[in-house]
Amino acid sequence: MNLLDRFLFAEVMEDNETLENVLEIIQMTFPYYQNKTADQTQVLAAEYSLEKEREYQRVYIRRELEKMGFTAQKRGTYFLADAICMGLENKEHRKLQITNDIYPVVAEQNGVSIGGVEKSIRDAIEHAWRDANLANLVRYYPFTWSEEIGRPTNAEFVSNMVERFELK
């Protein structure tokens, strides 16, 4: 984890170390911002802030998935977090199709195939439903799922989790 991430995610740091990190970050970025106009700097700061907000959201969603019983060792957990974030960022509120809208973007972002994204997500959901505590799953996923396959489908899971996080 680089210096900026350590600062932003506030991993166990003492006050003096945090202050030193802030000063180091300012010193690293100052030459870059020094050559920009005020408007350009505001745009860059807004873009940076939005990107960090998205990263915080992904981390929060991954942590919630881990509380449910998903494991960080599964790529599908990270792909699920990306898919849920896409659903939350969908400002048009149109129904995103998982195979046409979500899998291709997640695959491109992570340098894997569309089929690899689908399989990794399915594997992560199957693993969580097979190995996790059922009471814990129901607490974090208060939706129904197919009794035939014993878990929600990829599309159901992503859609329901987007709904859950929108309500928070």
Side-chain angles (χ1 to χ4, degrees), residues 83-99:
I84 293 166
C85 284
M86 283 183 62
L88 291 169
E89 291 172 3
N90 179 18
K91 302 296 182 204
E92 300 162 4
H93 295 289
R94 67 180 176 85
K95 188 77 170 164
L96 290 177
Q97 295 180 338
I98 196 160
T99 53

Side-chain angles (χ1 to χ4, degrees), residues 8-145:
L8 292 173
F9 290 114
E11 289 195 356
V12 185
M13 290 190 281
E14 297 176 11
D15 291 328
N16 290 339
E17 186 179 345
T18 303
L19 180 58
E20 290 170 10
N21 288 340
V22 170
L23 292 174
E24 190 174 337
I25 291 167
I26 291 169
Q27 289 169 350
M28 288 184 324
T29 58
F30 182 71
Y32 179 74
Y33 285 110
Q34 190 175 21
N35 297 327
K36 303 292 181 190
T37 66
D39 289 341
Q40 289 172 320
T41 302
Q42 285 178 332
V43 168
L44 290 170
E47 288 173 359
Y48 176 79
S49 177
L50 181 60
E51 189 56 40
K52 279 302 168 189
E53 184 179 324
R54 287 179 179 148
E55 185 56 33
Y56 290 146
Q57 186 178 50
R58 277 187 196 86
V59 168
Y60 174 76
I61 290 169
R62 280 195 302 261
R63 287 182 181 155
E64 290 294 301
L65 291 171
E66 288 172 12
K67 288 178 188 176
M68 287 177 67
F70 286 82
T71 61
Q73 291 79 18
K74 298 256 181 223
R75 288 188 319 168
T77 302
Y78 291 88
F79 296 163
L80 272 170
D82 289 344
I84 293 166
C85 284
M86 283 183 62
L88 291 169
E89 291 172 3
N90 179 18
K91 302 296 182 204
E92 300 162 4
H93 295 289
R94 67 180 176 85
K95 188 77 170 164
L96 290 177
Q97 295 180 338
I98 196 160
T99 53
N100 295 333
D101 299 322
I102 294 176
Y103 291 159
V105 174
V106 173
E108 185 178 324
Q109 287 174 344
N110 293 282
V112 296
S113 70
I114 294 169
V117 170
E118 185 275 330
K119 184 181 182 324
S120 293
I121 289 176
R122 180 171 22 95
D123 182 50
I125 294 171
E126 286 173 352
H127 182 270
W129 254 255
R130 183 183 64 237
D131 298 342
N133 177 335
L134 185 60
N136 210 28
L137 278 174
V138 171
R139 188 168 113 216
Y140 288 100
Y141 188 82
F143 306 97
T144 59
W145 60 82

